[in-house]
Amino acid sequence: VMCGGVGVDRVPGLGHSGGGSTLLGYIGIDTIIEQMRKKTMKAGFDFNIMIVGHSGLGKSTLVNTLFKSQVSRWSSGWGSEHKIPKTVEIKAVSHVIEEGGVKMKLTVIDTPGFGDQINNENCWDPISKYINEQYEKFLKEEVNIARKKRIPDTRVHCCLYFISPTGHSLRQLDIEFMKHLSRVVNIIPVIAKSDTMTPDEKNEFKHRVRKELETHGIEYYPQNEFDDDMEDKNENDKIREAMPFAVVGSDKEFQVNGKRVLGRKTAWGVVEVENPNHCEFALLRDFLIRSHLQDLKEVTHNIHYETYRARRLNDNGGLHPISANNTQESNL
């Protein structure tokens, strides 16, 4: 039988239904998923998350709450004096988290000093430089003749951008940062410390932020153009309509109705972090970790890194190996 110019042998006795062969017995093709699962569990995987926003927005607390462990740099012994640096710094700290036999090397990249200066002009430059340096590192490993079996992945898979809960509008710095970086990294905007606003104020602010992002042509993750099919589009449309998530973080437990819950104690009660009636932390966690974590990694590799790689190889003539001296290595 000729199929698209290629000879295809049909197995005698096998019929065709719905374009596929009717099997006479069990082969075991479906075990490939289990084989892949075992290999992935053995190897483990990397996830690198960057947190950006000015000081006092609860960035470290939120990341600790997301991963239910002390993973932020303040929890890991970075500078106990908590002084605001004079310039934007990049601080990365890694932990191995294990759950249900799955190992994840989580790297949290913090950006102390961002937005805290009198003049914040171009304060996104060190962040942009760091993101591109990680792409460069990966590219250099890829173009080596003797490549590593598994290239260490330090690329930033996700950037959580913390918006101040002013209730008014985005600051110019918010707009400039997201404009400059939305094309090189997956940005997920979140409204920090949302318990400082009433439900009506919160909804109004969310609507206003979405409008402003649209007006300035800022695409945040999940980007419309990367939806694979209608099922993806429908799922992502619901997420996009709910963004930016208005969140509250806390790593403190309180007793509420006989149950231990993570929350923030106020004069009028406890704001329960994981209660969807109190804030949208659970929506953010489910989206970021339980449904889109793998997609964040794939969009980073297939879109953002691929764009960087094509540009670099094109600039380089596409043939010559990249010199190790072409870029300054990142100092973590």
Side-chain angles (χ1 to χ4, degrees):
V1 180
M2 294 302 288
C3 181
V6 179
V8 177
D9 290 331
R10 279 195 185 153
V11 180
L14 288 190
H16 281 258
S17 61
S21 300
T22 306
L23 304 176
L24 294 175
Y26 179 66
I27 299 174
I29 300 167
D30 56 352
T31 63
I32 186 70
I33 302 298
E34 182 57 21
Q35 293 169 45
M36 288 162 72
R37 191 184 75 86
K38 279 183 179 170
K39 273 191 173 273
T40 306
M41 282 180 76
K42 266 187 197 168
F45 65 98
D46 303 304
F47 187 61
N48 309 317
I49 183 168
M50 177 178 266
I51 49 177
V52 182
H54 67 77
S55 59
L57 289 180
K59 300 185 296 293
S60 298
T61 305
L62 186 81
V63 172
N64 288 344
T65 317
L66 272 171
F67 295 99
K68 297 205 169 174
S69 50
Q70 301 293 306
V71 292
S72 76
R73 67 193 181 94
W74 294 126
S75 317
S76 309
W78 285 97
S80 53
E81 67 281 1
H82 284 53
K83 278 186 186 167
I84 293 171
K86 288 188 167 58
T87 56
V88 178
E89 296 176 358
I90 310 287
K91 303 280 189 189
V93 61
S94 299
H95 298 266
V96 174
I97 296 176
E98 190 168 351
E99 184 180 53
V102 179
K103 280 185 185 165
M104 176 172 85
K105 184 189 174 192
L106 172 71
T107 301
V108 178
I109 304 121
D110 199 354
T111 53
F114 177 85
D116 291 328
Q117 319 305 323
I118 293 167
N119 179 5
N120 289 301
E121 197 180 348
N122 297 339
C123 67
W124 51 82
D125 280 351
I127 296 167
S128 176
K129 181 168 174 276
Y130 176 87
I131 290 167
N132 284 321
E133 278 174 354
Q134 308 321 303
Y135 291 148
E136 184 71 20
K137 269 187 188 178
F138 199 89
L139 179 57
K140 277 199 279 186
E141 290 287 356
E142 244 189 6
V143 298
N144 275 344
I145 294 166
R147 290 201 293 190
K148 290 175 182 166
K149 188 179 174 188
R150 191 169 177 228
I151 299 173
D153 191 2
T154 59
R155 297 170 298 180
V156 179
H157 301 126
C158 165
C159 172
L160 275 186
Y161 187 78
F162 287 69
I163 297 165
S164 191
T166 60
H168 300 296
S169 59
L170 290 172
R171 298 178 305 163
Q172 192 57 35
L173 175 60
D174 300 329
I175 292 162
E176 290 298 330
F177 175 87
M178 288 190 264
K179 240 186 197 175
H180 281 85
L181 274 89
S182 61
R183 288 285 166 192
V184 295
V185 70
N186 296 316
I187 291 181
I188 298 176
V190 296
I191 297 167
K193 296 196 168 179
S194 67
D195 54 331
T196 58
M197 294 185 283
T198 67
D200 286 346
E201 287 170 344
K202 186 168 67 182
N203 291 332
E204 177 60 35
F205 187 46
K206 277 162 66 92
H207 177 70
R208 203 173 294 148
V209 167
R210 276 199 301 273
K211 274 281 180 215
E212 283 189 79
L213 292 173
E214 194 183 320
T215 304
H216 289 93
I218 295 163
E219 286 249 327
Y220 48 87
Y221 180 86
Q223 300 91 331
N224 279 300
E225 59 192 295
F226 306 146
D227 292 339
D228 288 335
D229 49 39
M230 276 312 290
E231 188 189 346
D232 252 18
K233 186 183 180 329
N234 293 336
E235 186 188 347
N236 287 341
D237 277 346
K238 285 179 196 162
I239 290 163
R240 285 187 278 261
E241 282 162 23
M243 290 176 83
F245 297 116
V247 296
V248 177
S250 174
D251 40 20
K252 291 187 172 65
E253 281 193 335
F254 296 95
Q255 194 89 11
V256 177
N257 300 329
K259 282 167 69 181
R260 302 290 294 169
V261 296
L262 286 169
R264 278 167 53 84
K265 196 167 176 61
T266 67
W268 53 89
V270 174
V271 179
E272 297 170 42
V273 166
E274 295 180 278
N275 184 337
N277 297 319
H278 290 196
C279 79
E280 293 167 345
F281 170 82
L283 282 177
L284 173 66
R285 180 206 54 213
D286 290 355
F287 160 60
L288 183 66
I289 300 169
R290 300 181 186 182
S291 67
H292 281 66
L293 191 145
Q294 181 58 29
D295 189 63
L296 281 161
K297 288 167 67 74
E298 285 176 12
V299 170
T300 299
H301 182 74
N302 298 330
I303 310 292
H304 298 308
Y305 169 67
E306 205 53 40
T307 304
Y308 179 88
R309 181 179 175 277
R311 191 180 74 240
R312 279 291 281 118
L313 292 179
N314 194 42
D315 292 348
N316 212 42
L319 295 169
H320 317 293
I322 292 168
S323 159
N325 303 319
N326 273 7
T327 186
Q328 182 188 347
E329 287 298 336
S330 160
N331 296 315
L332 290 186

